Amino acid sequence: MESKNIDKHLKALELAKKAAAYSDQPEVNDEDFLRLATVAEESKDFFFEVVGDTIVMGLLCPLVYNTSHISAKELFIYSDKPSTQAVRLIKKFENWAKERGAVRIVLESTSFSPESFTRYLDRVGYLQAGTVFTKDI
């Protein structure tokens, strides 16, 4: 794996494994995750930040119902616990998206305590827009 930021990618992998251990997600494949981290880091359409024990990954994509508008979709958020650094990274994700023309942020998954994270999102203007369903096939 070629990467200028191997330490950052390895820290992200460590956090992804912690998140998987607390969720119903399958085990993290090291090679696939590190490849995603490299692609995310090198693409202008991906957001990828790791600070301390917090990671945020996301990407830009068209809104399904109005493809002339761009949204920013969170792919992965994890923090050992809700913290100011987690809040700062989410804000940085919002600013990154806005600078690239996004009109909406979509957050679907977190490994935070759902109650405290929901309270934070309510305070900063997010609206709960539905429920996510998954099925392994």
Side-chain angles (χ1 to χ4, degrees):
M1 169 187 53
E2 291 186 32
S3 172
K4 295 177 259 180
N5 296 305
I6 190 68
D7 290 340
K8 176 181 176 182
H9 295 188
L10 292 173
K11 180 63 177 182
L13 176 61
E14 173 191 328
L15 294 171
K17 287 182 175 192
K18 282 184 178 182
Y22 292 109
S23 71
D24 61 351
Q25 299 302 311
E27 196 172 299
V28 176
N29 178 297
D30 293 12
E31 187 177 323
D32 288 346
F33 186 87
L34 292 171
R35 187 174 27 255
L36 172 63
T38 300
V39 168
E41 186 117 78
E42 294 172 356
S43 171
K44 64 180 178 53
D45 294 329
F46 275 88
F47 179 87
F48 174 57
E49 289 288 333
V50 178
V51 176
D53 286 335
T54 302
I55 179 175
V56 177
M57 294 177 85
L59 75 151
L60 299 175
C61 55
L63 292 172
V64 173
Y65 55 84
N66 185 346
T67 57
S68 66
H69 289 92
I70 302 295
S71 68
K73 167 88 172 70
E74 159 268 327
L75 295 174
F76 184 67
I77 295 176
Y78 176 79
S79 187
D80 281 340
K81 60 184 180 221
S83 66
T84 56
Q85 86 186 5
V87 169
R88 278 191 226 117
L89 272 185
I90 291 169
K91 195 64 175 164
K92 189 172 182 178
F93 177 54
E94 290 176 8
N95 291 335
W96 170 87
K98 195 177 217 179
E99 289 169 2
R100 285 155 180 79
V103 297
R104 173 165 290 157
I105 300 285
V106 179
L107 303 176
E108 289 183 359
S109 64
T110 74
S111 296
F112 296 104
S113 161
E115 246 180 67
S116 62
F117 191 62
T118 300
R119 282 194 306 271
Y120 162 73
L121 292 176
D122 287 343
R123 281 196 314 269
V124 296
Y126 283 85
L127 301 173
Q128 188 169 359
T131 304
V132 176
F133 294 89
T134 66
K135 178 181 179 181
D136 292 337
I137 55 171

